[in-house]
Amino acid sequence: MKILIVLLRKSGGVGRANGEIAEALREMGHEVDILSREDDLKIFSLAKSVFPMRKKVSELMEKNNYDFIYTQDYSCAIPLIFPYPIFWKKHFCCFCGVKSGKHPELVQWHQKFLQRFTGRIFGKKLVVIGDQLKEIFPKAKLIYRGVNLKKFKPMKKKRSCLGWIDKDIELISRDELDGVCKNVKLKFCVAEGIRPEKMNEFYNKCKVFVDIPRTAGFNLAWLEAMAAGVPIVIGNKRGAGSFLPFDKISDDDDMPKEVEKIIKKPVKINYRDWLIENKFTWKDKAKELVGFLGKYYKNGS
């Protein structure tokens, strides 16, 4: 297969995930190119991207004759369906998260509308990465994220930290976790400005990793920490937390107190083995995507 992935930017969670998917697909013998609206076209809004995106994708299709165009999020899909669809039979879309933010009530109504409108247009041609999105778009194909077990792995280093990633969607604060660390005699390590290739070293400092998001499409950090061998992972039921086997905190809990309680008596499980046994590598997820697209490829539609 020849696949063109169209996304907003190559950095960030969606960019990293699609980079991993593309590499896994290439290892399977498929040809994959990535087009980034912001990196390649230097366009930073949906409205301004419509005609330049249509033009660029048309040029690439004429040159490479892709079997599939795989857009990420409604903002990359809409330019190819408005004002009229182009390459519709080859166009598939993936939703990576529910539109939200630090203050979900302030998220503009049109973002939610456009996501739901686009999702319903694609119907069975939509891929979603999490259970919450599957509930909103029941016709969509659910394909979870994966993790690179070669990049994220135990390094046999001493683990003396409670690790946390400073994100604006976190339900537990820096000050609260700093207090927890003092009570449980761990160093507080915050991931700020760490390059992606250095994150495995960060996880390998951690005896405990805490990530309790307000909202999540999937939340790759949990998989990365699990693959890196962090003994105690603490999250909630957002995104992939609904089924991953780590300790979870509810919104009603006294979170700092509950974190301390879990650290003293955590779930005992080899997370890395669990990921392997349950097929959460990028190769596994690439195979699922190929299986999904392959049905349309074989039918010539």
Side-chain angles (χ1 to χ4, degrees), residues 130-179:
D131 294 343
Q132 186 180 0
L133 283 163
K134 178 64 175 176
E135 290 176 5
I136 299 171
F137 305 102
K139 293 181 180 180
K141 172 67 174 178
L142 176 62
I143 301 178
Y144 294 127
R145 292 305 202 198
V147 67
N148 189 322
L149 296 177
K150 294 180 181 178
K151 291 182 180 178
F152 296 97
K153 57 186 178 182
M155 299 171 67
K156 297 182 180 179
K157 290 189 174 183
K158 182 180 179 181
R159 298 178 182 271
S160 58
C161 295
L162 183 152
W164 181 69
I165 300 175
D166 190 7
K167 299 180 288 188
D168 63 5
I169 59 171
E170 282 293 296
L171 287 169
I172 193 165
S173 72
R174 180 190 295 253
D175 289 343
E176 287 174 323
L177 287 176
D178 189 42

Side-chain angles (χ1 to χ4, degrees), residues 69-106:
I69 301 170
Y70 191 39
T71 53
Q72 308 295 304
D73 194 42
Y74 74 85
S75 57
C76 289
I78 285 177
L80 303 187
I81 59 178
F82 177 85
Y84 57 86
I86 59 174
F87 311 113
W88 174 247
K89 289 186 177 181
K90 296 186 174 185
H91 186 185
F92 292 75
C93 184
C94 176
F95 284 173
C96 307
V98 179
K99 289 302 162 188
S100 186
K102 188 172 184 179
H103 302 289
E105 68 277 6
L106 299 181

